[in-house]
Amino acid sequence: MPPAIAFTVENGLQAEQDLLASICAGDAEFGLLFWQPSDRALVMPRRLSRLPGFELACEVSAANGWPVLLRETGGEPVPQSGATVNIALVYAPPRSEGDHGRIETAYRRLCDPICQLLDELGGVASLGEVEGAFCDGRFNVNLDGRKMVGTAQRWRQSKGGQRPVGLVHGALLLEDEREGMVAAVNRFNEACGLDQRVRAESHIALHEKYPAPHALERLETLYQDLLDRL
């Protein structure tokens, strides 16, 4: 069975929160979820809902096939569709690590297996910002200098407040829907009065460069290996 579960975007985001709550409750030491949207949505941080143009921008976006959903993590609008595979890594860091560098270490744990996969396929993997990318960030995973994966994370305390538990999320562009996704982001930003504009050529989908039919299975193995070593 392929590792990615089909969810509506709304249900996929909820499944991530449910997994975080489960690990916080002590039901397991860690969790790993791959999910692929069965519909489309433009997902953005809750803070944008306070902007004066937000309601109008939501109407414009929905009328063009991209309803707006809010998420708990920060950043900027991110398009989600069947072209995307989401990776949610949930874990409590070993007590020996302490709190210093916890955020960066979590991003490395999410990004390193993806970079290893790209290296195995023969691509040039890197981390960092890409001009013109939507929801750009220091821990984008890039393929040949173009953004392929966007990342975010959220932390909560475990039951009883004994240790922090992190949800580290990656949205991997698997299939090429770059033009439609960029149009959706730019349409929303324009209607909402936001200055940012993004470009299709700043992104790349894995399957544009490599067919890699077993990429998700390989990634699942790499993450399991990483979690087994914690």
Side-chain angles (χ1 to χ4, degrees):
M1 184 181 73
I5 303 170
F7 279 129
T8 65
V9 178
E10 185 173 18
N11 288 345
L13 295 173
Q14 185 59 53
E16 292 188 355
Q17 295 303 313
D18 292 346
L19 183 60
L20 176 59
S22 173
I23 306 305
C24 284
D27 296 340
E29 281 295 304
F30 55 78
L32 178 65
L33 173 67
F34 286 69
W35 64 275
Q36 191 165 15
S38 57
D39 61 353
R40 296 198 305 185
L42 198 57
V43 184
M44 58 194 68
R46 197 167 297 279
R47 64 176 172 78
L48 292 185
S49 65
R50 298 190 288 271
L51 295 176
F54 179 76
E55 293 298 333
L56 172 61
C58 287
E59 292 175 12
V60 169
S61 190
N64 283 275
W66 293 88
V68 169
L69 292 175
L70 299 176
R71 65 172 185 264
E72 299 304 320
T73 50
E76 296 160 351
V78 174
Q80 287 272 1
S81 76
T84 310
V85 169
N86 294 278
I87 304 162
L89 182 65
V90 183
Y91 73 100
R95 296 181 192 278
S96 59
E97 289 186 356
D99 268 352
H100 180 70
R102 172 160 47 95
I103 302 298
E104 180 155 339
T105 299
Y107 276 129
R108 294 282 177 181
R109 286 185 170 129
L110 177 71
C111 296
D112 284 353
I114 304 172
C115 290
Q116 183 176 336
L117 172 72
L118 295 179
D119 289 343
E120 290 174 2
L121 292 171
V124 178
S126 63
L127 301 179
E129 297 177 355
V130 176
E131 186 178 355
F134 49 72
C135 204
D136 199 17
R138 191 160 61 96
F139 287 97
N140 296 335
V141 181
N142 307 316
L143 170 58
D144 298 344
R146 297 162 69 187
K147 179 176 177 177
M148 191 186 80
V149 184
T151 59
Q153 59 180 283
R154 185 184 185 208
W155 289 84
R156 285 174 54 179
Q157 287 295 315
S158 64
K159 189 176 180 180
Q162 296 301 307
R163 57 202 299 205
V165 178
L167 163 63
V168 200
H169 170 95
L172 185 156
L173 189 57
L174 190 67
E175 306 291 348
D176 178 15
E177 198 183 348
R178 294 181 290 115
E179 295 287 350
M181 288 178 161
V182 161
V185 173
N186 286 338
R187 189 185 301 117
F188 176 89
N189 287 350
E190 182 177 6
C192 201
L194 298 171
D195 292 334
Q196 187 200 43
R197 297 294 182 269
V198 296
R199 302 193 301 269
E201 59 269 23
S202 298
H203 305 81
I204 190 170
L206 178 64
H207 285 173
E208 282 186 87
K209 185 79 182 285
Y210 302 108
H214 303 296
L216 299 185
E217 287 84 350
R218 177 59 179 152
L219 268 182
E220 184 179 39
T221 298
L222 291 170
Y223 281 115
Q224 291 290 355
D225 290 346
L226 179 152
L227 290 167
D228 288 344
R229 294 194 299 271
L230 289 181

Short mmCIF file of all heavy atoms in Angstrom, two decimals, residues 19-48:
data_model
loop_
_atom_site.label_atom_id
_atom_site.label_comp_id
_atom_site.label_asym_id
_atom_site.label_seq_id
_atom_site.Cartn_x
_atom_site.Cartn_y
_atom_site.Cartn_z
N LEU A 19 -2.72 13.57 15.25
CA LEU A 19 -1.48 12.83 15.50
C LEU A 19 -0.64 13.54 16.55
O LEU A 19 -0.09 12.90 17.46
CB LEU A 19 -0.70 12.70 14.18
CG LEU A 19 0.61 11.89 14.23
CD1 LEU A 19 0.34 10.46 14.68
CD2 LEU A 19 1.29 11.91 12.86
N LEU A 20 -0.57 14.86 16.47
CA LEU A 20 0.16 15.63 17.47
C LEU A 20 -0.45 15.41 18.86
O LEU A 20 0.27 15.19 19.84
CB LEU A 20 0.15 17.11 17.09
CG LEU A 20 0.79 18.10 18.07
CD1 LEU A 20 2.25 17.77 18.31
CD2 LEU A 20 0.63 19.53 17.56
N ALA A 21 -1.78 15.47 18.94
CA ALA A 21 -2.45 15.27 20.23
C ALA A 21 -2.19 13.87 20.77
O ALA A 21 -2.02 13.68 21.98
CB ALA A 21 -3.95 15.51 20.08
N SER A 22 -2.13 12.89 19.88
CA SER A 22 -1.90 11.51 20.30
C SER A 22 -0.51 11.33 20.90
O SER A 22 -0.35 10.68 21.95
CB SER A 22 -2.09 10.57 19.10
OG SER A 22 -1.73 9.25 19.41
N ILE A 23 0.49 11.92 20.26
CA ILE A 23 1.85 11.80 20.80
C ILE A 23 1.98 12.60 22.09
O ILE A 23 2.64 12.16 23.04
CB ILE A 23 2.89 12.27 19.75
CG1 ILE A 23 2.70 11.53 18.41
CG2 ILE A 23 4.30 12.08 20.28
CD1 ILE A 23 2.73 10.03 18.51
N CYS A 24 1.33 13.75 22.17
CA CYS A 24 1.34 14.54 23.41
C CYS A 24 0.71 13.76 24.56
O CYS A 24 1.14 13.88 25.71
CB CYS A 24 0.59 15.85 23.21
SG CYS A 24 1.48 17.10 22.27
N ALA A 25 -0.31 12.95 24.25
CA ALA A 25 -0.99 12.17 25.28
C ALA A 25 -0.20 10.94 25.70
O ALA A 25 -0.59 10.25 26.65
CB ALA A 25 -2.37 11.75 24.78
N GLY A 26 0.90 10.65 24.97
CA GLY A 26 1.72 9.52 25.33
C GLY A 26 1.30 8.21 24.71
O GLY A 26 1.75 7.13 25.11
N ASP A 27 0.44 8.27 23.68
CA ASP A 27 -0.03 7.05 23.02
C ASP A 27 1.10 6.36 22.26
O ASP A 27 1.04 5.15 22.02
CB ASP A 27 -1.18 7.36 22.06
CG ASP A 27 -2.41 7.89 22.78
OD1 ASP A 27 -2.51 7.65 24.00
OD2 ASP A 27 -3.25 8.54 22.13
N ALA A 28 2.09 7.12 21.83
CA ALA A 28 3.26 6.56 21.13
C ALA A 28 4.41 7.55 21.28
O ALA A 28 4.21 8.71 21.67
CB ALA A 28 2.94 6.31 19.66
N GLU A 29 5.61 7.10 20.97
CA GLU A 29 6.80 7.95 21.08
C GLU A 29 6.90 8.91 19.90
O GLU A 29 7.44 10.01 20.02
CB GLU A 29 8.06 7.09 21.16
CG GLU A 29 8.31 6.51 22.52
CD GLU A 29 8.60 7.58 23.57
OE1 GLU A 29 9.52 8.38 23.37
OE2 GLU A 29 7.88 7.61 24.58
N PHE A 30 6.42 8.47 18.75
CA PHE A 30 6.50 9.32 17.56
C PHE A 30 5.42 8.91 16.58
O PHE A 30 4.79 7.86 16.72
CB PHE A 30 7.88 9.22 16.89
CG PHE A 30 8.32 7.82 16.55
CD1 PHE A 30 7.81 7.16 15.43
CD2 PHE A 30 9.24 7.14 17.34
CE1 PHE A 30 8.21 5.88 15.12
CE2 PHE A 30 9.65 5.87 17.04
CZ PHE A 30 9.13 5.23 15.92
N GLY A 31 5.20 9.74 15.57
CA GLY A 31 4.23 9.45 14.53
C GLY A 31 4.73 9.95 13.19
O GLY A 31 5.49 10.93 13.12
N LEU A 32 4.31 9.30 12.12
CA LEU A 32 4.68 9.68 10.76
C LEU A 32 3.45 9.52 9.89
O LEU A 32 2.81 8.46 9.88
CB LEU A 32 5.81 8.79 10.25
CG LEU A 32 6.28 9.02 8.82
CD1 LEU A 32 6.92 10.40 8.67
CD2 LEU A 32 7.27 7.93 8.40
N LEU A 33 3.09 10.59 9.18
CA LEU A 33 1.90 10.56 8.33
C LEU A 33 2.23 11.15 6.97
O LEU A 33 2.76 12.25 6.87
CB LEU A 33 0.77 11.38 8.99
CG LEU A 33 -0.49 11.60 8.16
CD1 LEU A 33 -1.24 10.29 7.92
CD2 LEU A 33 -1.42 12.62 8.86
N PHE A 34 1.92 10.40 5.92
CA PHE A 34 1.96 10.90 4.55
C PHE A 34 0.51 11.02 4.08
O PHE A 34 -0.25 10.04 4.16
CB PHE A 34 2.67 9.91 3.62
CG PHE A 34 4.16 9.85 3.75
CD1 PHE A 34 4.76 9.32 4.88
CD2 PHE A 34 4.98 10.29 2.72
CE1 PHE A 34 6.13 9.25 5.00
CE2 PHE A 34 6.36 10.22 2.82
CZ PHE A 34 6.93 9.69 3.96
N TRP A 35 0.12 12.19 3.58
CA TRP A 35 -1.23 12.31 3.03
C TRP A 35 -1.24 13.18 1.78
O TRP A 35 -0.43 14.07 1.61
CB TRP A 35 -2.22 12.83 4.08
CG TRP A 35 -1.99 14.22 4.60
CD1 TRP A 35 -1.17 14.61 5.61
CD2 TRP A 35 -2.64 15.43 4.14
NE1 TRP A 35 -1.25 15.96 5.81
CE2 TRP A 35 -2.14 16.49 4.95
CE3 TRP A 35 -3.59 15.70 3.16
CZ2 TRP A 35 -2.57 17.80 4.78
CZ3 TRP A 35 -4.01 17.01 2.99
CH2 TRP A 35 -3.50 18.04 3.79
N GLN A 36 -2.20 12.84 0.91
CA GLN A 36 -2.30 13.49 -0.40
C GLN A 36 -3.73 14.02 -0.56
O GLN A 36 -4.69 13.28 -0.37
CB GLN A 36 -1.98 12.49 -1.51
CG GLN A 36 -1.79 13.11 -2.88
CD GLN A 36 -1.11 12.13 -3.84
OE1 GLN A 36 -1.02 10.94 -3.58
NE2 GLN A 36 -0.63 12.64 -4.96
N PRO A 37 -3.89 15.31 -0.87
CA PRO A 37 -5.23 15.88 -0.96
C PRO A 37 -6.09 15.23 -2.06
O PRO A 37 -5.60 14.95 -3.15
CB PRO A 37 -4.98 17.35 -1.28
CG PRO A 37 -3.62 17.63 -0.72
CD PRO A 37 -2.85 16.36 -0.97
N SER A 38 -7.36 15.05 -1.73
CA SER A 38 -8.33 14.57 -2.71
C SER A 38 -9.13 15.74 -3.29
O SER A 38 -10.02 15.54 -4.12
CB SER A 38 -9.29 13.56 -2.06
OG SER A 38 -9.95 14.14 -0.95
N ASP A 39 -8.84 16.96 -2.83
CA ASP A 39 -9.48 18.16 -3.36
C ASP A 39 -8.43 19.27 -3.42
O ASP A 39 -7.23 18.98 -3.33
CB ASP A 39 -10.70 18.56 -2.52
CG ASP A 39 -10.33 18.87 -1.06
OD1 ASP A 39 -9.15 18.66 -0.67
OD2 ASP A 39 -11.21 19.32 -0.31
N ARG A 40 -8.87 20.51 -3.57
CA ARG A 40 -7.93 21.63 -3.65
C ARG A 40 -8.31 22.68 -2.62
O ARG A 40 -9.48 22.89 -2.31
CB ARG A 40 -7.96 22.28 -5.04
CG ARG A 40 -7.50 21.38 -6.15
CD ARG A 40 -7.13 22.17 -7.40
NE ARG A 40 -8.19 23.05 -7.89
CZ ARG A 40 -8.11 23.76 -9.01
NH1 ARG A 40 -7.03 23.67 -9.74
NH2 ARG A 40 -9.10 24.52 -9.40
N ALA A 41 -7.30 23.37 -2.12
CA ALA A 41 -7.54 24.49 -1.20
C ALA A 41 -6.30 25.36 -1.15
O ALA A 41 -5.19 24.92 -1.46
CB ALA A 41 -7.87 23.98 0.20
N LEU A 42 -6.51 26.60 -0.75
CA LEU A 42 -5.42 27.53 -0.49
C LEU A 42 -5.34 27.66 1.03
O LEU A 42 -6.29 28.16 1.66
CB LEU A 42 -5.70 28.88 -1.16
CG LEU A 42 -4.54 29.84 -1.38
CD1 LEU A 42 -3.43 29.20 -2.18
CD2 LEU A 42 -5.04 31.11 -2.07
N VAL A 43 -4.25 27.18 1.61
CA VAL A 43 -4.13 27.10 3.07
C VAL A 43 -3.20 28.20 3.56
O VAL A 43 -2.12 28.41 3.00
CB VAL A 43 -3.58 25.72 3.48
CG1 VAL A 43 -3.54 25.58 5.00
CG2 VAL A 43 -4.42 24.60 2.88
N MET A 44 -3.64 28.88 4.60
CA MET A 44 -2.85 30.04 5.07
C MET A 44 -2.98 30.22 6.57
O MET A 44 -3.90 29.69 7.20
CB MET A 44 -3.30 31.30 4.34
CG MET A 44 -4.76 31.65 4.50
SD MET A 44 -5.25 32.90 3.29
CE MET A 44 -5.12 32.00 1.74
N PRO A 45 -2.04 30.96 7.16
CA PRO A 45 -2.07 31.17 8.61
C PRO A 45 -3.28 32.00 9.04
O PRO A 45 -3.76 32.86 8.30
CB PRO A 45 -0.76 31.90 8.90
CG PRO A 45 -0.36 32.51 7.62
CD PRO A 45 -0.87 31.61 6.55
N ARG A 46 -3.74 31.73 10.25
CA ARG A 46 -4.93 32.38 10.79
C ARG A 46 -4.78 33.91 10.83
O ARG A 46 -5.77 34.63 10.70
CB ARG A 46 -5.20 31.83 12.19
CG ARG A 46 -6.58 32.07 12.72
CD ARG A 46 -6.86 31.23 13.95
NE ARG A 46 -6.83 29.80 13.66
CZ ARG A 46 -7.84 29.14 13.11
NH1 ARG A 46 -8.95 29.77 12.77
NH2 ARG A 46 -7.74 27.84 12.89
N ARG A 47 -3.56 34.40 11.00
CA ARG A 47 -3.37 35.85 11.13
C ARG A 47 -3.87 36.61 9.89
O ARG A 47 -4.29 37.77 10.01
CB ARG A 47 -1.90 36.17 11.38
CG ARG A 47 -0.96 35.79 10.24
CD ARG A 47 0.48 36.20 10.47
NE ARG A 47 1.35 35.65 9.46
CZ ARG A 47 1.47 36.13 8.23
NH1 ARG A 47 0.79 37.20 7.87
NH2 ARG A 47 2.28 35.55 7.35
N LEU A 48 -3.84 35.98 8.71
CA LEU A 48 -4.29 36.67 7.50
C LEU A 48 -5.80 36.96 7.52
O LEU A 48 -6.27 37.85 6.83
CB LEU A 48 -3.94 35.86 6.25
CG LEU A 48 -2.45 35.74 5.91
CD1 LEU A 48 -2.25 35.02 4.58
CD2 LEU A 48 -1.76 37.10 5.88
#
